[in-house]
Structure formats: C-alpha cells, structure tokens
Amino acid sequence: MSDLVTLGETMALLSAPRVGRLRDMKSLCLSAAGSESNVAIGVCRLGCSASWTGRVGADELGQMILTALRAEGVDVSASIVDPSAQTALMFKERRGPNVARVTYYRRGYAGSRLSPDDVNETLISTARMLHVTGITLGLSETARAAAYRAVEIARAASVPVSFDFNYRAALWPPQEAAEQFRSMSSLAGLVFAGEDELAILAPDDLLEGARRLAGDGERAVVVKRGPKGAFSVIDGVVHEEPARNVVAVDPVGAGDAFVAGYIVGTFDGLDTPGRLAMATATGAYAVTVLGDWEGMPSREDLALLSREEGTTIR
Ligand code: KDG
C-alpha cells in the first residue's frame, strides 16, 4: 500500500551540462524524467510513500529508469517492461540561465503503450490519493484510457483524485487538450494548472476560470504561477501565496515539486495556507538544482530556505 499512486510515462533524459545549443555539446548527462514519477519522488523525499506505474522498454534505458525510481524509494512493482517497444527519450538544452528547451522522442515508444489492463486495482483502491496528469491524456488513446480507468477505480474506492493539466504542446493541440482537461477535472477533487495552462480554458479571466473549474465546492483548484507564487480556489474562497525568493537554475520540474509539496501537505492535514506554503517552498527548492527531480527537497532541506544567504552549516 502506498500513500500516493500515480501512472504515466517516464523517459530517459539527456541534458546538456552547460548553457548552449544541443549540437554544440560534446557530452550529455543521463537521467530519468516524467512528471508523474517526479511527483512520486517528491512525495517519497518528503517522507511519504508513492507508487508509479508505467511502461519502459526492455532496454538499458528502461532499467536505468526503474533503478533510479527504486533508489528514490518509489514502488515500481506494478510497472511493465515492454519487450516490443523502446524507452522514450527527452533532450534538455539550457538556452540561457534558467531557460530550458526540451525535445521529445516519445511517440509510439514504450510509455505511450500504457493501457487500461496495466492499471493495478489493488494499488489504487488502497491508496490515500491517485495523481494523474494531462500528459498521459495526450500521449495515446490507450494511455488516456488507462488514466480514466485508474480514476474510475479510485472513485469507486473513494480515493481522492488529483489532476495536473501539464499541457505539452508537442503532444496535442490546445483545443483537444481543453476538452480533456474539462472532462478529467470533473472527476478530480484536486486540480492543478499553471497560469498558462488555465489560460487554455479561460484566456480572459484566470480567476473566473479557476472558479468555474472549482464548481460549487466540488473540487479544489490550485493555480501555479511560477515566480509569482500560487493561488487556490476552494469552496469559493481564494487563497494567495507568494513565491519564495531563490536563485533559479533550472525551471523544469518545479511544477511537479509544487504538486508533491501540496499533496504531502494534504496528507499532513495542513490547512489551505499551510498546503500552499509547503507547495511553494518545495517548488522553489527544486529550481535551485539542475535536473527535473534531483532538487526535490526533503523536510530538512526545506528548512534551509529560511537560512540567511552565505550561511555555512557545521
Ligand atoms: O514536469 C517536468 C516534466 O516535464 C519532465 O520531467 C518530463 O514528463 C515530462 C514531460 O512530458 O515533459
């Protein structure tokens, strides 16, 4: 049994070690990357348990991903090694200080072959929360069906569902995504969206868009505003939280760290301001380190955010 259960695609990530064009790099750093597994790692680092289900190829990169997740304490026992497809790739360039550009090689690869039969009913129905993202909805028909199957199981077992829009323009056009975002949100009790993602549904008025999405107290909507902080709409009440002031080196993965912090704040029984504060702190901490999840903080790390600049811990 895990506190959080999530599913999606995790890719092999090849990232440039310095600022510049990918073509000019003589070497790249190998790691794993996937929004849902990033959240699972974040939850584990904060002391809760998490399971990730996905498909990886029967190749070295697939093994690298499973090994990395296991090393972070993520349960991957329900994941599938698919001998008929390769593990997907993601390249990450650093185009400037704190400006990243990613390129995917993922269509038709193992992760997008996730299907409803891969979804583990026992794992989901015994969890404290299920987390899904819009990436899985845009990956393929079968992956989308798997996400809906997982949500169906969770709802039948009264397990709360968390949904993060996570719009990826490389996967699908905004109109198609918008339809799915509305439909999956209607099944979730907790919905996360970045400001730019919420603008897909509500280009003219984000607050009104968040209110509409929240319905009549049916769900909590949490809007990630990056360096501007975050706000939530819960039972018609708006809470705002400013961002923590940090030196950012890599923006990728900040949203996942934010989500992990918010979810753990929920497990901790924090009130809304407490959850938002935890989420903005985890998001802030994550951007101070290179890597999509390597900067996910532990609870001890979070305390470092309030240390004065230039502090040496002895
Ligand atoms: O949220 C960070 C993710 O973007 C990254 O780790 C990989 O899942 C990923 C994606 O689709 O970009």
Side-chain angles (χ1 to χ4, degrees):
M1 184 186 150
S2 290
D3 295 320
L4 183 78
V5 170
T6 185
L7 75 168
E9 179 176 53
T10 297
M11 297 162 280
L13 165 63
L14 289 148
S15 33
R18 57 185 169 81
V19 173
R21 301 177 305 180
L22 194 59
R23 74 186 86 161
D24 298 323
M25 298 295 141
K26 298 288 172 268
S27 60
L28 296 169
C29 302
L30 178 62
S31 181
S35 174
E36 301 83 2
S37 58
N38 297 344
V39 171
I41 291 172
V43 164
C44 289
R45 287 208 179 166
L46 290 167
C48 294
S49 56
S51 293
W52 172 82
T53 301
R55 278 183 181 247
V56 295
D59 46 31
E60 278 300 309
L61 298 176
Q63 285 311 309
M64 180 274 297
I65 289 170
L66 295 179
T67 304
L69 294 180
R70 281 191 198 106
E72 289 295 327
V74 177
D75 166 44
V76 291
S77 57
S79 294
I80 290 138
V81 176
D82 185 338
S84 55
Q86 290 172 308
T87 302
L89 299 176
M90 169 178 160
F91 289 87
K92 184 160 73 168
E93 289 169 276
R94 295 170 63 198
R95 297 312 311 265
N98 196 24
V99 178
R101 180 168 73 178
V102 300
T103 314
Y104 303 114
Y105 293 77
R106 68 195 306 184
R107 208 170 289 282
Y109 283 77
S112 61
R113 294 160 63 102
L114 187 71
S115 83
D117 288 344
D118 300 338
V119 174
N120 186 308
E121 191 164 348
T122 311
L123 205 58
I124 295 172
S125 52
T126 56
R128 292 169 78 186
M129 191 177 283
L130 169 74
H131 176 68
V132 295
T133 81
I135 299 172
T136 315
L137 302 180
L139 262 186
S140 69
E141 286 298 322
T142 60
R144 183 183 300 180
Y148 279 103
R149 173 77 189 122
V151 168
E152 184 183 44
I153 294 168
R155 284 168 58 91
S158 302
V159 172
V161 175
S162 153
F163 171 54
D164 187 352
F165 279 21
N166 261 348
Y167 177 64
R168 297 289 177 269
L171 293 180
W172 51 348
Q175 305 84 331
E176 200 188 325
E179 198 183 307
Q180 285 300 317
F181 291 168
R182 281 198 195 89
S183 140
M184 186 54 97
S185 296
S186 73
L187 302 172
L190 173 58
V191 174
F192 296 96
E195 267 188 326
D196 51 337
E197 296 168 336
L198 185 59
I200 298 174
L201 298 191
D204 300 327
D205 188 339
L206 287 185
L207 182 56
E208 185 44 37
R211 283 189 191 281
R212 266 205 308 273
L213 204 58
D216 200 7
E218 287 147 283
R219 64 196 57 84
V221 173
V222 184
V223 181
K224 301 180 258 181
R225 306 183 68 216
K228 290 181 281 177
F231 73 87
S232 67
V233 179
I234 301 172
D235 291 327
V237 181
V238 179
H239 289 276
E240 282 189 68
E241 182 70 25
R244 303 293 292 257
N245 196 11
V246 289
V247 179
V249 296
D250 186 353
V252 185
D256 299 332
F258 179 100
V259 168
Y262 193 95
I263 289 174
V264 171
T266 307
F267 292 157
D268 283 358
L270 301 183
D271 58 9
T272 305
R275 275 178 258 157
L276 282 176
M278 178 111 167
T280 48
T282 49
Y285 199 91
V287 301
T288 63
V289 176
L290 287 180
D292 290 22
W293 52 265
E294 284 81 346
M296 296 276 180
S298 66
R299 293 195 192 242
E300 295 73 45
D301 292 335
L302 284 179
L304 300 179
L305 281 176
S306 5
R307 294 294 188 110
E308 228 170 84
E309 214 183 307
T311 302
T312 303
I313 301 166
R314 293 197 168 88

